[in-house]
Amino acid sequence: MTTEISLNDPMIVAGRSFNSRLMVGTGKYKDMAETQQAIEASGAEIVTVALRRTNIGQNPGEPNLLDVVSPEKYTILPNTAFCYTADEAVRTCRLARELLDGHDLVKLEVLGDDKTLYPNVTETLAAAETLIKDGFKVMVYTSDDPLVAKRLEEMGCVAVMPLGAPIGSGLGICNPNNIKLILENANVPIIVDAGVGTPSDATLAMELGCEGVLMNSAIAHAQNPVLMAQAMRKAVECGREGYLAGRMPRKSYATASSPMEGLIGSK
Amino acid sequence: MIRLTVNGESMQLYSANNLQELLDKLHLGAQRVAVEVNCEIIPRSLHAQTRVREGDRIEIVRAIGGG
């Protein structure tokens, strides 16, 4: 029989408490039903959405994402994906706040180019400044540069979200040392956003001490997205528990686990 | 008749006096959307009293899947 140790270990973002440390996107799923099932299986409480123009004159009755991912059940995190300037990102966040009845938590991402989808840091800093002045609570996607991460924290971002690898690449945490450097100086939640491909990538992010992981493609592009969502939920919990438990020290040589004393045939 | 640009598309309108009527005409009246007129957000509570005018550039957005 196993007895589970229950942890009271919520993630706190912008003064709000969340039981799940896995945040998920809603893009790239086959259909709304799969989106809903995968999000359910992930256990995520924070769910990202994008903002786009409505179709004019086409499919007026098509299902609305917010009917499937209800703002009453989930904390909706509108993103600024495919914004390339601070102005576009700020405009998108303001529209999101109107769309979601005054909801002020946003995921800021200002991209630099199409090929890498790497963050444009100067535009990100400019957008963050405007948004924070305007009362937004900004969770910011950024590069894994420790100095930029610190600067964003000092400006008042409520969470700093360095990439593990380029968006949608599934390459994992390419530079764990940078994530460690960011964590050493951080006083706000550090959340790995982008790059995770496998459950072990998510576990590694959590073992490093990140407060959470945000992902979309790793689940949506899996062969079985719903099963992968469940695996990611466990992986994030697993990594968090491992982090809290504290790993054994690394040693260069072997240390026996069994005692040397009482060995048969000894004197 | 007035001419508008809605989500980048030109549109001629014969009978819509305000934003709410425009949204209804586009079958978006009951949907969760956010609206900008000439780059200014018009809160939902003001849709019915915001007149649409010749040359207005209107953006209507909704939430879709994204990461």
Side-chain angles (χ1 to χ4, degrees):
Chain A
M1 199 187 103
T2 55
T3 308
E4 185 109 352
I5 300 171
S6 95
L7 294 173
N8 179 23
D9 174 41
M11 176 179 74
I12 312 286
V13 177
R16 294 186 59 177
S17 179
F18 300 94
N19 292 317
S20 172
R21 292 172 176 275
L22 172 58
M23 287 142 272
V24 296
T26 51
K28 302 176 178 174
Y29 286 100
K30 189 177 68 188
D31 53 33
M32 289 280 186
E34 190 183 70
T35 310
Q36 188 172 33
Q37 285 165 21
I39 290 167
E40 193 73 34
S42 76
E45 293 166 282
I46 299 178
V47 176
T48 65
V49 303
L51 250 69
R52 291 292 179 274
R53 286 171 163 172
T54 54
N55 293 325
I56 299 298
Q58 305 160 20
N59 310 321
E62 73 182 329
N64 189 316
L65 179 65
L66 295 179
D67 294 335
V68 173
V69 185
S70 147
E72 284 73 45
K73 186 171 175 189
Y74 297 99
T75 296
I76 304 295
L77 186 62
N79 71 24
T80 61
F82 281 105
C83 289
Y84 286 91
T85 65
D87 286 348
E88 286 166 12
V90 169
R91 188 178 176 192
T92 302
C93 288
R94 288 178 175 150
L95 278 164
R97 182 166 61 184
E98 160 62 12
L99 182 75
L100 297 166
D101 304 314
H103 174 85
D104 55 11
L105 190 67
V106 291
K107 171 180 160 178
L108 172 64
E109 55 178 306
V110 188
L111 303 179
D113 77 66
D114 286 346
K115 191 171 176 184
T116 63
L117 299 181
Y118 226 68
N120 179 328
V121 168
T122 45
E123 290 295 308
T124 301
L125 288 164
E129 188 172 13
T130 305
L131 289 169
I132 291 163
K133 270 191 201 146
D134 198 7
F136 283 96
K137 297 189 171 64
V138 178
M139 299 175 73
V140 60
Y141 169 67
T142 184
S143 57
D144 59 0
D145 179 331
L147 299 178
V148 172
K150 192 63 190 170
R151 176 89 189 91
L152 288 163
E153 175 190 320
E154 286 166 353
M155 288 173 74
C157 292
V158 298
V160 175
M161 308 201 291
L163 50 76
I167 293 171
S169 69
L171 291 172
I173 315 291
C174 288
N175 198 340
N177 195 51
N178 271 31
I179 303 293
K180 269 192 213 167
L181 290 174
I182 291 171
L183 285 162
E184 269 177 27
N185 294 316
N187 296 306
V188 293
I190 302 299
I191 293 164
V192 163
D193 177 6
V196 164
T198 63
S200 58
D201 295 335
T203 303
L204 172 61
M206 297 308 292
E207 284 178 355
L208 290 171
C210 292
E211 286 286 322
V213 180
L214 199 165
M215 65 180 74
N216 191 152
S217 306
I219 297 174
H221 279 181
Q223 299 299 309
N224 182 337
V226 180
L227 185 57
M228 187 58 89
Q230 179 178 298
M232 290 297 186
R233 171 173 61 75
K234 292 176 183 171
V236 167
E237 284 172 7
C238 180
R240 180 63 180 176
E241 289 181 6
Y243 170 74
L244 292 175
R247 64 153 296 145
M248 64 162 284
R250 283 191 169 85
K251 294 169 195 162
S252 297
Y253 299 100
T255 309
S257 299
S258 306
M260 302 228 345
E261 297 78 31
L263 205 58
I264 49 168
S266 59
K267 285 183 191 169
Chain B
M1 186 196 76
I2 54 171
R3 275 162 301 193
L4 306 168
T5 305
V6 181
N7 287 355
E9 292 177 29
S10 303
M11 191 169 286
Q12 295 183 343
L13 219 57
Y14 296 92
S15 61
N17 293 313
N18 62 53
L19 265 186
Q20 188 58 51
E21 285 178 26
L22 173 66
L23 291 172
D24 289 342
K25 215 173 199 28
L26 297 171
H27 307 285
L28 296 169
Q31 298 234 14
R32 202 190 265 265
V33 294
V35 182
E36 258 185 7
V37 177
N38 303 326
C39 295
E40 190 186 330
I41 291 171
I42 309 297
R44 201 165 299 141
S45 59
L46 299 179
H47 287 180
Q49 61 198 78
T50 302
R51 289 186 64 83
V52 287
R53 295 168 204 280
E54 173 75 22
D56 275 351
R57 300 185 65 84
I58 298 174
E59 294 285 343
I60 308 170
V61 302
R62 66 189 164 130
I64 64 151

Coordinates of all heavy atoms in Angstrom, one line a residue, chain A residues 202-243:
Chain A
A202 N 9.7 18.8 -19.1 CA 8.9 19.6 -18.1 C 9.4 19.3 -16.7 O 9.5 20.2 -15.8 CB 7.4 19.2 -18.2
T203 N 9.7 18.0 -16.5 CA 10.3 17.6 -15.1 C 11.6 18.3 -14.9 O 11.8 18.9 -13.8 CB 10.5 16.1 -15.1 OG1 9.2 15.5 -15.4 CG2 10.9 15.7 -13.7
L204 N 12.4 18.4 -15.9 CA 13.7 19.1 -15.7 C 13.5 20.5 -15.3 O 14.1 21.0 -14.4 CB 14.6 19.0 -17.0 CG 15.9 19.8 -17.0 CD1 16.8 19.4 -15.9 CD2 16.6 19.7 -18.3
A205 N 12.6 21.2 -16.0 CA 12.3 22.6 -15.7 C 11.9 22.8 -14.2 O 12.4 23.7 -13.5 CB 11.2 23.2 -16.6
M206 N 11.1 21.9 -13.8 CA 10.6 21.9 -12.4 C 11.7 21.6 -11.4 O 11.8 22.1 -10.3 CB 9.4 21.0 -12.2 CG 8.2 21.4 -13.0 SD 7.7 23.1 -12.8 CE 7.1 23.1 -11.2
E207 N 12.5 20.6 -11.8 CA 13.6 20.2 -10.9 C 14.6 21.3 -10.7 O 15.3 21.4 -9.7 CB 14.4 19.0 -11.4 CG 13.6 17.7 -11.3 CD 14.3 16.5 -11.9 OE1 15.4 16.7 -12.5 OE2 13.8 15.3 -11.7
L208 N 14.8 22.1 -11.7 CA 15.7 23.3 -11.6 C 15.2 24.3 -10.6 O 15.9 25.1 -10.1 CB 15.8 24.0 -13.0 CG 16.6 23.2 -14.1 CD1 16.5 23.9 -15.4 CD2 18.1 23.0 -13.7
G209 N 13.9 24.3 -10.4 CA 13.3 25.2 -9.4 C 12.3 26.2 -10.0 O 11.9 27.1 -9.4
C210 N 11.9 26.0 -11.3 CA 10.9 26.8 -11.9 C 9.6 26.7 -11.1 O 9.3 25.6 -10.6 CB 10.7 26.5 -13.4 SG 12.1 26.9 -14.4
E211 N 8.8 27.8 -11.1 CA 7.5 27.7 -10.5 C 6.5 27.0 -11.3 O 5.5 26.5 -10.8 CB 7.0 29.1 -10.2 CG 7.7 29.8 -9.0 CD 7.3 29.3 -7.7 OE1 6.2 29.0 -7.5 OE2 8.2 29.2 -6.8
G212 N 6.7 26.9 -12.6 CA 5.7 26.3 -13.5 C 6.3 26.2 -14.9 O 7.4 26.6 -15.2
V213 N 5.5 25.5 -15.7 CA 5.8 25.3 -17.1 C 4.6 25.6 -18.0 O 3.4 25.3 -17.6 CB 6.2 23.9 -17.4 CG1 6.6 23.7 -18.9 CG2 7.4 23.5 -16.5
L214 N 4.8 26.4 -19.1 CA 3.7 26.7 -20.0 C 4.0 26.0 -21.3 O 5.1 26.1 -21.8 CB 3.6 28.2 -20.2 CG 2.3 28.8 -20.7 CD1 2.2 30.3 -20.5 CD2 2.0 28.5 -22.2
M215 N 3.1 25.3 -21.9 CA 3.3 24.6 -23.1 C 2.0 24.5 -24.0 O 0.9 24.6 -23.4 CB 3.9 23.2 -22.9 CG 2.9 22.3 -22.2 SD 3.5 20.6 -21.8 CE 4.6 20.9 -20.5
N216 N 2.2 24.3 -25.2 CA 1.1 24.1 -26.2 C 1.4 22.9 -27.1 O 0.8 21.9 -27.1 CB 0.8 25.4 -26.9 CG -0.5 25.4 -27.7 OD1 -1.1 26.4 -27.9 ND2 -1.0 24.2 -28.1
S217 N 2.4 23.1 -28.0 CA 2.7 22.1 -29.0 C 3.0 20.8 -28.5 O 2.7 19.8 -29.1 CB 3.9 22.6 -29.9 OG 3.6 23.9 -30.4
A218 N 3.8 20.7 -27.4 CA 4.2 19.4 -26.8 C 3.0 18.5 -26.6 O 3.0 17.3 -26.7 CB 5.0 19.6 -25.6
I219 N 1.8 19.1 -26.2 CA 0.6 18.4 -26.0 C -0.2 18.3 -27.4 O -0.5 17.2 -27.8 CB -0.3 19.0 -24.9 CG1 0.5 19.0 -23.6 CG2 -1.6 18.3 -24.8 CD1 -0.2 19.7 -22.5
A220 N -0.4 19.4 -28.0 CA -1.3 19.4 -29.2 C -0.7 18.6 -30.3 O -1.5 18.1 -31.1 CB -1.6 20.9 -29.6
H221 N 0.6 18.6 -30.5 CA 1.2 17.8 -31.6 C 1.7 16.4 -31.2 O 2.3 15.8 -32.0 CB 2.4 18.7 -32.1 CG 1.9 19.7 -33.1 ND1 2.8 20.6 -33.7 CD2 0.6 20.1 -33.5 CE1 2.0 21.4 -34.5 NE2 0.8 21.2 -34.3
A222 N 1.3 16.0 -30.0 CA 1.6 14.6 -29.7 C 0.7 13.7 -30.5 O -0.4 14.1 -30.9 CB 1.4 14.4 -28.2
Q223 N 1.1 12.4 -30.7 CA 0.2 11.5 -31.4 C -1.2 11.4 -30.7 O -2.2 11.3 -31.3 CB 0.8 10.1 -31.5 CG 2.2 10.1 -32.2 CD 2.0 10.6 -33.7 OE1 1.2 10.1 -34.4 NE2 2.8 11.6 -34.1
N224 N -1.1 11.3 -29.3 CA -2.3 11.3 -28.5 C -2.3 12.5 -27.6 O -1.7 12.3 -26.5 CB -2.4 9.9 -27.8 CG -3.6 9.8 -27.0 OD1 -4.3 10.8 -26.6 ND2 -4.0 8.6 -26.7
P225 N -2.8 13.6 -28.0 CA -2.7 14.8 -27.1 C -3.3 14.6 -25.7 O -2.8 15.2 -24.8 CB -3.5 15.8 -27.9 CG -3.4 15.4 -29.3 CD -3.5 13.8 -29.2
V226 N -4.4 13.9 -25.6 CA -5.0 13.8 -24.3 C -4.2 13.0 -23.3 O -4.0 13.4 -22.2 CB -6.5 13.2 -24.4 CG1 -7.1 13.1 -23.0 CG2 -7.3 14.0 -25.3
L227 N -3.6 11.9 -23.8 CA -2.7 11.1 -23.0 C -1.4 11.9 -22.7 O -0.9 11.9 -21.5 CB -2.3 9.8 -23.8 CG -1.4 8.8 -23.0 CD1 -2.1 8.4 -21.7 CD2 -1.1 7.6 -23.8
M228 N -0.9 12.7 -23.6 CA 0.3 13.5 -23.4 C 0.0 14.6 -22.3 O 0.8 14.9 -21.5 CB 0.8 14.2 -24.7 CG 2.1 14.9 -24.5 SD 3.5 13.8 -23.8 CE 4.1 13.2 -25.4
A229 N -1.3 15.2 -22.4 CA -1.7 16.2 -21.4 C -1.6 15.6 -20.0 O -1.1 16.2 -19.0 CB -3.1 16.7 -21.7
Q230 N -2.1 14.4 -19.9 CA -2.0 13.7 -18.6 C -0.6 13.4 -18.1 O -0.2 13.6 -17.0 CB -2.8 12.4 -18.7 CG -2.8 11.5 -17.4 CD -3.6 10.3 -17.6 OE1 -4.8 10.3 -17.9 NE2 -3.0 9.1 -17.5
A231 N 0.2 13.0 -19.1 CA 1.7 12.8 -18.8 C 2.4 14.0 -18.3 O 3.2 14.0 -17.4 CB 2.4 12.2 -20.0
M232 N 2.0 15.1 -19.0 CA 2.6 16.4 -18.6 C 2.2 16.9 -17.2 O 3.0 17.5 -16.5 CB 2.3 17.5 -19.7 CG 3.0 17.3 -21.0 SD 4.8 17.4 -20.9 CE 5.2 17.3 -22.6
R233 N 1.0 16.6 -16.9 CA 0.5 16.9 -15.5 C 1.3 16.2 -14.5 O 1.8 16.8 -13.5 CB -1.0 16.6 -15.4 CG -1.5 16.7 -13.9 CD -3.0 16.5 -13.8 NE -3.5 15.2 -14.3 CZ -3.3 14.0 -13.5 NH1 -2.7 14.1 -12.4 NH2 -3.8 12.9 -14.0
K234 N 1.5 14.9 -14.7 CA 2.3 14.1 -13.8 C 3.8 14.6 -13.8 O 4.4 14.6 -12.7 CB 2.3 12.6 -14.2 CG 0.9 12.0 -14.0 CD 0.9 10.6 -14.5 CE -0.5 10.0 -14.3 NZ -0.6 8.7 -15.0
A235 N 4.3 14.9 -15.0 CA 5.7 15.3 -15.1 C 6.0 16.6 -14.3 O 7.0 16.7 -13.6 CB 6.1 15.5 -16.5
V236 N 5.1 17.5 -14.4 CA 5.3 18.8 -13.7 C 5.2 18.5 -12.1 O 6.0 19.0 -11.4 CB 4.2 19.8 -14.2 CG1 4.2 21.0 -13.2 CG2 4.6 20.3 -15.6
E237 N 4.2 17.7 -11.7 CA 4.1 17.4 -10.3 C 5.3 16.7 -9.8 O 5.9 16.9 -8.7 CB 2.8 16.5 -10.1 CG 1.5 17.3 -10.1 CD 0.3 16.3 -10.1 OE1 0.5 15.1 -9.9 OE2 -0.8 16.9 -10.3
C238 N 5.8 15.7 -10.6 CA 6.9 14.9 -10.3 C 8.2 15.8 -10.1 O 8.9 15.7 -9.1 CB 7.1 14.0 -11.5 SG 8.5 12.9 -11.3
G239 N 8.4 16.7 -11.1 CA 9.6 17.6 -11.0 C 9.5 18.5 -9.8 O 10.5 18.8 -9.1
R240 N 8.3 19.0 -9.5 CA 8.1 19.9 -8.3 C 8.5 19.1 -7.0 O 9.1 19.6 -6.1 CB 6.7 20.4 -8.3 CG 6.4 21.3 -7.1 CD 7.2 22.6 -7.2 NE 6.9 23.5 -6.1 CZ 7.6 24.6 -5.8 NH1 8.6 25.0 -6.6 NH2 7.3 25.4 -4.8
E241 N 7.9 17.9 -6.9 CA 8.2 17.1 -5.7 C 9.7 16.8 -5.6 O 10.2 16.9 -4.5 CB 7.3 15.8 -5.7 CG 5.9 16.1 -5.5 CD 5.0 14.9 -5.4 OE1 5.5 13.8 -5.5 OE2 3.7 15.1 -5.4
G242 N 10.3 16.5 -6.7 CA 11.7 16.2 -6.7 C 12.5 17.4 -6.2 O 13.5 17.3 -5.4
Y243 N 12.1 18.6 -6.7 CA 12.8 19.8 -6.3 C 12.6 20.1 -4.8 O 13.6 20.4 -4.1 CB 12.2 21.0 -7.1 CG 12.6 22.3 -6.6 CD1 13.9 22.8 -6.9 CD2 11.8 23.2 -5.9 CE1 14.4 24.0 -6.4 CE2 12.2 24.4 -5.4 CZ 13.5 24.8 -5.7 OH 13.9 26.0 -5.2

